[in-house]
Amino acid sequence: MSDTLDCRICGGTLHEFFDFGRQPLADAFVDPNHPAQEYFHRLAVAQCGSCTMVQLLEDVPREHMFRTDYPYLSSGSSAMQDHFRATAGHFLDHELRDLDSFVVEFGSNDGIMLDTVARAGRRHLGVEPCAGVAEAAAAKGIRVRNAFFEESTAAEIVATEGRANVIYAANTFSHISYVDSVFRGVDILLDEDGIFVFEDPYMGDIVERTSFDQIYDEHFYFFTVRSVQNMAAFYGFELVDVEHLPVHGGEIRYTLARSGSRTPSPEVARFLDREKILGLAERPTLESFATNIDLLREGLRSLLVRCRDEGRSVVGYGATAKSATLTNYCGIGPELVSFIADNTPAKQGTLSPGSHIPVRSPEAFADPYPDYALLFAWNHAEEIMRKEAEFKRRGGRWILYVPELHIV
Ligand code: SAH
Ligand code: TYD
Ligand code: ZN
């Protein structure tokens, strides 16, 4: 494990603003029959005094996080399936209009986005280090390379397949601490007038909504428009477009091109102004975010303790990676939340990382319905509440904690 006090991008000085202490790996669900020693690391966040990038102070070796049995399946949400179908459709209508065009996606997971591209018959390649999810994509007829995307992978791809018109990554680029190698790879692989597009949780939304559970081992960087613009310039690229997305509790899709090759959209300047007004890079903003984290922790814990003391049953819904930080930082275990219902086959029958709450199938949720359901997958609230409408009809109540603690 490397410990660094310098910004991973520009070498500037990092200023820590929150320390969650020792935390487990957020996707390392525990097999109750073969409990192995869990890997803990120090989870603390800081901001660079120069380029303003928010980042973890410590990174976990990638082989610990992204293993063969990585359990997260992108296709587990129908809303996300719609989102990625629309994303692919947009590329097919624009950058991939030419029948010979080529798209590379890193972090392609089970092929949720490339599926549409493959069906349209366009040249494509997924780059995905976790063999299990990579095989799930390959089984759908999607071309995948089982590897980490970095400079050497990009060089191998360009040697056999030529340059790409689009390089795309969703919920992946912010997971990668070694951006220097990724940018060198993008430089080698991207066509002269190609675009590098990525979308990740937006620090502006995290601060505004106190969604601190977005902070865990896999989320190494927390992007803002300003910090991405600085990062791009540092590596010879330019931020030419931004789009605010409603998925995963608020994300931004960033479009980068080689410096000077495209005219930036007015949206870039608009977001920069907005971030300035919000004071997103200012110390007091991060200090009040830190205060809000602890207020939320106290509020949620006392609500759950009260439920327990009054004899009301509480079940969690969605064994998200996010819930690892939430349960472990707030001290929520099986005594407060008896189990977590989740539709991911590889998570069922396991215990949540660190907090050891049993994970069961969604069928267990109705057998019988609890009094309260704590919605860990709050970013999928609409989809899950629709699916589980019967729970409310029978008098059940949802506990949500984003954008603030409330019961519906
Ligand atoms: N794009 C999908 C998956 C996000 S999960 C979605 O948005 O739903 C993050 C994925 O990135 C995981 O499948 C993980 O294995 C992969 N990943 C992590 N580091 C990577 C790297 N260096 N290159 C390619 N994929 C990587
Ligand atoms: P998600 O919030 O997408 O990501 P992360 O793990 O990065 O925080 O995870 C959603 C989890 O919720 C995932 O384990 C699947 C589960 N889920 C259900 O059980 N039912 C559903 O209807 C949906 C949409 C998700
Ligand atoms: Zn920096």
Side-chain angles (χ1 to χ4, degrees):
M1 192 185 304
S2 58
D3 203 347
T4 171
L5 292 175
D6 293 336
C7 173
R8 294 291 295 249
I9 290 159
C10 75
T13 306
L14 291 181
H15 306 287
E16 182 185 319
F17 61 87
F18 206 86
D19 189 348
F20 291 92
R22 289 175 63 71
Q23 294 290 329
L25 304 187
D27 267 308
F29 289 82
V30 177
D31 178 351
N33 302 315
H34 303 95
Q37 182 83 41
E38 286 181 270
Y39 184 102
F40 279 80
H41 70 112
R42 175 172 168 242
L43 183 68
V45 260
Q47 186 185 44
C48 173
S50 305
C51 74
T52 76
M53 183 65 81
V54 174
Q55 57 206 277
L56 298 188
L57 275 172
E58 252 185 33
D59 62 335
V60 170
R62 62 189 189 178
E63 290 76 14
H64 287 316
M65 296 186 282
F66 306 114
R67 304 169 317 265
T68 300
D69 60 351
Y70 184 70
Y72 183 73
L73 284 179
S74 300
S75 297
S77 151
S78 63
M80 293 313 296
Q81 287 182 19
D82 293 344
H83 170 76
F84 286 116
R85 208 173 295 121
T87 302
H90 179 82
F91 287 144
L92 290 168
D93 287 344
H94 296 89
E95 310 294 329
L96 303 178
R97 244 193 339 253
D98 190 313
L99 292 181
D100 195 41
S101 50
F102 179 39
V103 56
V104 173
E105 181 185 12
F106 58 95
S108 47
N109 198 273
D110 62 6
I112 188 168
M113 195 288 284
L114 287 180
D115 195 33
T116 305
V117 176
R119 283 173 198 271
R122 288 301 188 285
R123 292 200 300 131
H124 65 273
L125 184 67
V127 181
E128 173 53 63
C130 300
V133 293
E135 278 160 22
K140 297 177 193 164
I142 295 160
R143 295 186 62 236
V144 190
R145 179 183 285 256
N146 185 207
F148 285 97
F149 186 84
E150 55 192 330
E151 186 178 9
S152 58
T153 319
E156 285 162 25
I157 296 170
V158 84
T160 52
E161 321 230 4
R163 298 215 277 184
N165 306 89
V166 178
I167 299 177
Y168 176 69
N171 305 298
T172 300
F173 191 38
S174 64
H175 293 39
I176 302 177
S177 59
Y178 42 98
V179 280
D180 47 344
S181 177
V182 171
F183 269 110
R184 284 197 302 272
V186 170
D187 189 30
I188 294 169
L189 181 58
L190 195 66
D191 200 62
E192 270 324 296
D193 64 352
I195 49 172
F196 173 30
V197 182
F198 51 93
E199 57 195 65
D200 291 276
Y202 179 44
M203 185 63 184
D205 289 312
I206 294 173
V207 168
E208 234 166 33
R209 319 178 82 199
T210 321
S211 44
F212 74 84
D213 54 352
Q214 291 280 15
I215 302 168
Y216 56 90
D217 56 329
E218 291 170 38
H219 288 176
F220 189 82
Y221 293 108
F222 299 89
F223 296 150
T224 64
V225 174
R226 181 169 168 196
S227 62
V228 167
Q229 186 181 53
N230 288 338
M231 171 173 70
F234 204 77
Y235 294 104
F237 287 83
E238 189 172 2
L239 178 61
V240 295
D241 202 7
V242 291
E243 185 187 351
H244 203 178
L245 307 171
V247 298
H248 289 308
E251 301 206 322
I252 285 191
R253 177 177 292 161
Y254 304 90
T255 301
L256 270 52
R258 294 184 190 279
S259 292
S261 70
R262 297 198 182 204
T263 310
S265 114
E267 280 300 277
V268 177
R270 196 174 73 79
F271 265 86
L272 288 171
D273 284 347
R274 197 171 156 262
E275 288 181 355
K276 206 169 196 170
I277 292 164
L278 284 174
L280 200 49
E282 307 301 325
R283 195 77 201 161
T285 306
L286 296 176
E287 280 163 5
S288 76
F289 174 51
T291 306
N292 291 340
I293 294 176
D294 281 335
L295 287 173
L296 178 53
R297 167 162 86 162
E298 291 319 310
L300 181 58
R301 246 199 82 80
S302 49
L303 174 65
L304 294 176
V305 167
R306 203 162 65 236
C307 287
R308 181 191 57 193
D309 293 349
E310 292 173 358
R312 308 207 187 269
S313 54
V314 182
V315 159
Y317 207 107
T320 57
K322 294 183 284 292
S323 68
T325 298
L326 190 90
T327 57
N328 287 286
Y329 185 65
C330 299
I332 300 169
E335 70 293 346
L336 294 178
V337 172
S338 51
F339 69 92
I340 307 173
D342 193 285
N343 66 2
T344 315
K347 295 181 184 177
Q348 294 163 5
T350 66
L351 304 174
S352 64
S355 48
H356 293 184
I357 304 172
V359 182
R360 299 172 66 187
S361 72
E363 286 73 48
F365 182 59
D367 185 26
Y369 283 120
D371 297 314
Y372 291 97
L374 176 56
L375 189 55
F376 290 127
W378 50 265
N379 46 315
H380 301 294
E382 217 183 293
E383 182 173 347
I384 291 174
M385 288 182 180
R386 203 183 322 118
K387 211 180 275 181
E388 299 289 0
E390 187 59 18
F391 167 60
K392 252 195 110 175
R393 270 199 292 276
R394 300 227 186 165
R397 291 288 174 265
W398 292 98
I399 302 173
L400 287 117
Y401 49 88
V402 176
E404 70 268 309
L405 190 57
H406 60 294
I407 296 176
V408 293

